[in-house]
């Protein structure tokens, strides 16, 4: 009688692929990472990666899905708030929270233009980003508000992902980013 080979649930295999891909994306960029490289990192053949994901773009979307789900949550909460001031404050705090929580993933947005192209191709992600910008800008933004917004979101995401601040604890980084963001809108 043979011994059955232990198998992992499909979700576990997907998570291993996503973790390997995220590491390789950070090292080589999305364009510089192949499915073969992901398979090699995991010690499996490429067909095992294809079994979980149809193409590399599917992997990129899966890596970023938690970030955009958090953005959609922030937008939904903010849109339910009546006060414009509180709405903006909640939105900024939510963006900071997700940027700090997803430091490793958001770093890819700033270091690899290929990520932006793949992510912008997904309608739900694009929609959440537009709604977020609309909340921050308000109904009739003046040029100063438009500039502040252009600095704000990329600045928050970039600062949270910057290796120079990687040793700052999450709670402290969140507080500092919130202080900087508030100064941007009161300056």
């Amino acid at each position: 009688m043979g011994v059955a080979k232990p198998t992992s649930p499909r979700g576990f295999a997907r998570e291993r692929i996503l973790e390997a891909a995220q590491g390789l994306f950070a090292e080589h960029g999305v364009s510089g990472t192949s499915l073969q490289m992901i398979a090699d990192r995991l010690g499996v053949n490429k067909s095992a990666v294809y079994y979980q994901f149809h193409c590399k773009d599917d992997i990129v979307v899966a890596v970023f899905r938690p970030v955009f789900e958090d953005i959609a949550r922030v937008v939904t909460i903010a849109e339910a708030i009546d006060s414009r001031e509180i709405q903006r404050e909640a939105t900024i705090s939510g963006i900071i929270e997700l940027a700090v929580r997803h430091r490793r993933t958001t770093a890819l947005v700033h270091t690899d233009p290929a990520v932006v192209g793949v992510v912008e191709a997904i309608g739900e992600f694009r929609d959440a980003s537009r709604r977020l910008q609309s909340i921050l800008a308000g109904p009739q933004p003046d040029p100063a508000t438009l500039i502040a917004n252009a600095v704000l979101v990329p600045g928050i995401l970039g600062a949270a992902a910057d290796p120079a601040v990687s040793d700052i604890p999450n709670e402290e980084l969140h507080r500092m980013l919130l202080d900087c963001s508030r100064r941007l809108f009161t300056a």
Side-chain angles (χ1 to χ4, degrees):
M1 173 183 252
V3 176
K5 244 183 170 179
T7 59
S8 299
R10 186 168 183 177
F12 178 73
R14 287 178 66 84
E15 288 305 313
R16 286 186 60 225
I17 290 169
L18 293 175
E19 181 143 335
Q22 191 174 32
L24 288 165
F25 293 162
E27 293 171 32
H28 305 283
V30 169
S31 298
T33 300
S34 68
L35 290 176
Q36 185 63 57
M37 290 168 72
I38 295 169
D40 290 347
R41 169 88 37 115
L42 294 169
V44 299
N45 61 36
K46 194 162 61 169
S47 64
V49 176
Y50 275 120
Y51 180 73
Q52 301 295 327
F53 296 95
H54 292 103
C55 63
K56 185 169 64 172
D57 285 356
D58 289 348
I59 296 172
V60 173
V61 169
V63 164
F64 281 90
R65 183 162 296 284
V67 175
F68 281 93
E69 286 172 350
D70 281 355
I71 289 172
R73 242 184 315 280
V74 167
V75 169
T76 300
I77 291 167
E79 287 175 339
I81 298 170
D82 291 333
S83 165
R84 179 86 186 95
E85 287 287 317
I86 296 171
Q87 187 181 52
R88 179 182 279 156
E89 181 77 15
T91 302
I92 292 169
S93 183
I95 294 167
I96 292 168
E97 176 63 34
L98 74 89
V100 170
R101 183 177 330 119
H102 299 289
R103 282 183 183 196
R104 185 174 172 204
T105 305
T106 59
L108 297 174
V109 174
H110 294 283
T111 58
D112 193 340
V115 171
V116 176
V118 172
V119 169
E120 285 182 351
I122 307 300
E124 66 186 284
F125 297 166
R126 209 175 37 247
D127 178 57
S129 294
R130 272 196 220 116
R131 288 168 53 208
L132 178 78
Q133 289 300 327
S134 177
I135 290 167
L136 291 171
Q140 295 182 319
D142 62 4
T145 301
L146 293 173
I147 291 169
N149 284 338
V151 170
L152 181 71
V153 176
I156 290 170
L157 297 174
D162 190 324
V165 301
S166 64
D167 291 338
I168 297 174
N170 287 353
E171 301 79 27
E172 189 175 345
L173 179 61
H174 186 280
R175 182 187 50 75
M176 293 171 143
L177 286 170
L178 195 53
D179 289 346
C180 288
S181 298
R182 285 179 178 144
R183 285 195 303 267
L184 185 64
F185 279 99
T186 58

